[in-house]
Amino acid sequence: MESELQSNQKEIYTLLQKQMEAVLEGEHHVIPNLANASALLNEALGDINWVGFYLLHQNELLLGPFQGRLACVHIAVGKGVCGTAVSKDEVQLVRDVHQFPGHIACDSASNSEVVVPLHWQGKIIGVLDIDSPILNRFDETDACELEQLAKIIEHSCDWDELYVTA
Ligand code: SME
């Protein structure tokens, strides 16, 4: 049987998916959509201290829209939790960042982290990164629900427009 916490968690994500679709509807530019997506996630998810995006640009991850403290701007593919999510093209569910070899500490308050790859036309284009000051903040349900949210975000954006300067 589901615990009350588990059913609350599902309710939060069900509502969040609807809100995300509503907030992003009608706009296709990557910057405002990722900015509002990070703001919505920041309001909806409890016990987090950083949420935002890193986008692949010139073969490395470049800081995108986020909510939280100042963050490192460049992350090499294969480095840190974000770079590992890209090189493996897999969600990284890190229950204790201090046990993750090569973890990049942008905010010393962070103790756990989840990183979800973003895709466009079958290729990885960046990641959604969420940090928490609580150890073990994220579980498999969070990872799965965040992958669904990442799909809503990916599909809301016209990624081809991002680096066009006309
Ligand atoms: N911890 C990340 C770096 C980004 S910050 O958390 C915002 C990592 O190890 O890749």
Side-chain angles (χ1 to χ4, degrees):
M1 209 176 106
E2 257 186 9
S3 73
E4 196 178 332
L5 267 182
Q6 284 169 322
S7 78
N8 282 348
Q9 188 188 26
K10 286 198 180 148
E11 278 170 27
I12 288 169
Y13 281 113
T14 303
L15 179 62
L16 186 48
Q17 287 187 11
K18 289 189 181 130
Q19 288 174 322
M20 191 65 80
E21 281 166 352
V23 163
L24 304 182
E25 197 187 350
E27 178 55 64
H28 298 289
H29 198 286
V30 173
I31 292 173
N33 281 5
L34 297 191
N36 270 338
S38 64
L40 179 59
L41 286 162
N42 193 43
E43 282 188 15
L45 299 176
D47 294 324
I48 65 169
N49 59 309
W50 200 94
V51 50
F53 298 90
Y54 279 91
L55 301 178
L56 272 173
H57 181 54
Q58 297 178 344
N59 298 320
E60 64 172 9
L61 285 169
L62 184 65
L63 182 64
F66 71 95
Q67 305 268 307
R69 299 190 74 180
L70 294 177
C72 48
V73 176
H74 303 274
I75 298 178
V77 171
K79 299 289 180 192
V81 185
C82 293
T84 303
V86 172
S87 58
K88 293 191 171 167
D89 197 353
E90 270 173 12
V91 173
Q92 300 297 302
L93 185 58
V94 183
R95 296 175 190 275
D96 178 355
V97 295
H98 309 290
Q99 304 300 320
F100 189 98
H103 165 255
I104 301 163
C106 292
D107 183 344
S108 60
S110 299
N111 279 314
S112 61
E113 182 164 4
V114 59
V115 179
V116 180
L118 299 172
H119 300 90
W120 173 247
Q121 295 177 340
K123 286 188 189 148
I124 189 158
I125 45 162
V127 296
L128 164 64
D129 178 19
I130 310 180
D131 286 19
S132 171
I134 311 287
L135 280 172
N136 226 0
R137 161 65 181 80
F138 307 103
D139 62 15
E140 278 76 12
T141 303
D142 291 294
C144 195
E145 296 287 349
L146 289 166
E147 278 188 290
Q148 295 310 309
L149 279 162
K151 287 200 174 79
I152 295 171
I153 296 166
E154 285 157 15
H155 291 137
S156 77
C157 295
D158 182 349
W159 297 90
D160 293 331
E161 265 184 5
L162 186 57
Y163 302 112
V164 176
T165 51

